[in-house]
Amino acid sequence: HLVVTSEFSKASLHYLHGVPNDHMSVLPLPVDLDLFRPSPLDIRTHSLNICWLGRIVPRKRFDLFLEAALMAIQKGVNLHITVLGDEKLIPGYRQMIAAFPHQSRLTWIREPIPRKEVPFLLAYQDVVIQPSEDEDLGSGPLEAQACGLPIIVGPKSGNADYLSQRDVRLPNYQAAYLYSAID
């Protein structure tokens, strides 16, 4: 019997490998709710603060994230972007970040952050965005939800099993849809 973290994972294993549905159970990743909880401080700013949390790799669609953020800024959204993650596996992302035309609206923290500091950094955010493709279950979005933040996830994401009414699951991987969710 297999234990998987989402209905998306279960469906993928069934479709790709023929694992019978009755041979699998779904149990989400655990989240430390003593550490990841809504902040008692009101430290939000006047801008919309969007956050990328996690590794920067092709399937997580960082390109889509930056394209939609640029669209939002160009259409007048008072936006600040925080990127908490590194691009060590794909160094070309460093150039993509350096080429972003609104550097004053982007904060990139590449260095590993102690897990106990992540909730403090999330307290400054308004939404966490992870438009990943074929995401089993992203721990970053789960932790953001535990901190009281809405999340925006891609259409092929196990996180969709755990969305609230404040969260958004994108209908497809087009920047216009992500921009609309941000707006």
Side-chain angles (χ1 to χ4, degrees):
H1 195 84
L2 298 174
V3 177
V4 297
T5 59
S6 66
E7 290 295 330
F8 176 80
S9 299
K10 187 176 175 181
S12 296
L13 285 174
H14 178 72
Y15 176 75
L16 295 172
H17 302 289
V19 177
N21 284 325
D22 61 349
H23 289 194
M24 294 181 279
S25 296
V26 175
L27 181 66
L29 296 172
V31 174
D32 181 348
L33 296 177
D34 289 329
L35 180 60
F36 292 94
R37 60 180 188 266
S39 174
L41 305 174
D42 184 13
I43 51 179
R44 302 272 160 66
T45 64
H46 293 292
S47 61
L48 176 63
N49 297 296
I50 65 171
C51 181
W52 174 275
L53 178 60
R55 294 175 300 126
I56 303 172
V57 296
R59 75 170 186 79
K60 295 209 179 248
R61 298 304 309 266
F62 187 69
D63 61 320
L64 186 70
F65 173 81
L66 283 182
E67 185 180 350
L70 180 58
M71 288 174 74
I73 291 169
Q74 289 172 337
K75 292 186 184 232
V77 177
N78 184 9
L79 186 72
H80 186 82
I81 304 157
T82 301
V83 177
L84 301 171
D86 68 53
E87 83 313 332
K88 291 179 185 169
L89 298 175
I90 313 290
Y93 282 116
R94 185 177 307 156
Q95 288 84 6
M96 184 184 293
I97 293 169
F100 190 76
H102 300 278
Q103 289 293 309
S104 65
R105 295 180 179 222
L106 189 144
T107 301
W108 184 21
I109 302 173
R110 290 180 58 207
E111 299 78 31
I113 299 166
R115 191 163 199 80
K116 65 182 180 182
E117 292 179 23
V118 173
F120 175 75
L121 293 170
L122 288 177
Y124 288 91
Q125 305 306 315
D126 295 305
V127 63
V128 168
I129 301 173
Q130 190 180 78
S132 302
E133 293 180 351
D134 298 322
E135 182 71 51
D136 176 42
L137 185 66
S139 59
L142 287 178
E143 292 166 347
Q145 286 175 308
C147 290
L149 295 176
I151 62 172
I152 301 172
V153 298
K156 295 180 182 178
S157 173
N159 289 87
D161 293 352
Y162 308 102
L163 299 182
S164 74
Q165 291 182 355
R166 297 179 340 145
D167 304 318
V168 175
R169 180 182 186 183
L170 299 172
N172 64 42
Y173 293 102
Q174 292 181 19
Y177 286 106
L178 181 51
Y179 156 71
S180 179
I182 291 169
D183 190 46

